[in-house]
Amino acid sequence: MKKFDYLRPKSLEEALTLLNQYRERAKLIAGGTDVIVMIKQKQIAPEVLISLQEIQDLKQMKYNGNLRIGSLVTHRMIEKSELIRKEFTALSDAVEVLGSIQIRNVGTIGGNICTAAPSADTVPPLLVLGAQVQLKSLKGERVLPLDQLFLGPGETAIEQGEILTEIFIPKPLPHTGSAYWKHQRRKALDLPILGVAVMLSLDRSNVTCSDLICTSSPISTVLHALEGEEVVCKEVRIALGVAAPTPIRAVKAENLLRGKRLSDELLWEVAEMAAKEAQPRDTIRGEAWYRREMIRVFVKRMAMRCIERVLRPEETIFPERLW
């Protein structure tokens, strides 16, 4: 491994000054779970590593209805947050299946975003939660919607001299549920074959058929009962990981569902449209046709999990027997 200088600035301003000084010769490092691997594999060869670990302001989470997560907040901190588990559940789903506890203890949400891997577990949940990122430089700061950050595999819109400092997630609408599913060969320490995140906001949560949720009733029965009560989807977002060169929103599928009454047939149409919007490729983990089939399956399943989390928020796991 090529030798490099390791710098530990104490403040964001000092880090920005160093980044401006060394420019292309420098690489930022947070938890290091990606950067060190890339250095060892000779994918990158920085002369200087600028560690952000001493900047305590980047390790804070703040909530006032809206959620602000510092870019150095670890996955483990998010996993242990009761607030995130309750209000921003899709993100909690994602960090629980990200790597191992050892990786989650050091890996950061900012690093997971900036690596810009199509397989990044936290990105699809953040997309459906409507996240924005704050970028700071010596010239000032700017806020960018997360879906505008990714340009390609490993490529972002972060400019030379900028540091991602914070992730902003707006307060969910009333009667909102969100969910993420990581489809993988193993239950831990594996990259996803596919990642699917869904966020649904319903027009109400008081329905007489809620007892059907989390019983032995099949999905079609639950949806038929909901259709009879004319439950409407007020807002929806669907995001896919490992389904295109970058994590994507399935916008056409969202438009099919937004403002419509929930039904079994409609959710199948939405899932089918999401599969058509995807641009998967063949890899060692899964072929394109298989990923499309799994999108059809898991978009509907995650929509049902969102519905369950609205109607029966005390339940945390949708019974697999309903699948």
Side-chain angles (χ1 to χ4, degrees), residues 61 74-85 92 95-96 101 104-105:
M61 286 194 291
T74 65
H75 303 305
R76 184 65 170 159
M77 291 170 64
I78 295 171
E79 181 183 10
K80 293 167 68 176
S81 169
E82 291 293 334
L83 168 68
I84 291 176
R85 183 175 294 110
S92 184
V95 294
E96 287 177 358
I101 288 181
R104 296 197 291 272
N105 276 334

Side-chain angles (χ1 to χ4, degrees), residues 180-185 191-196 290 294 298:
Y180 172 74
W181 183 263
K182 178 178 183 175
H183 186 44
Q184 55 190 338
R185 291 183 178 180
L191 292 174
I193 299 171
L194 177 72
V196 175
Y290 177 73
M294 292 302 98
F298 288 114

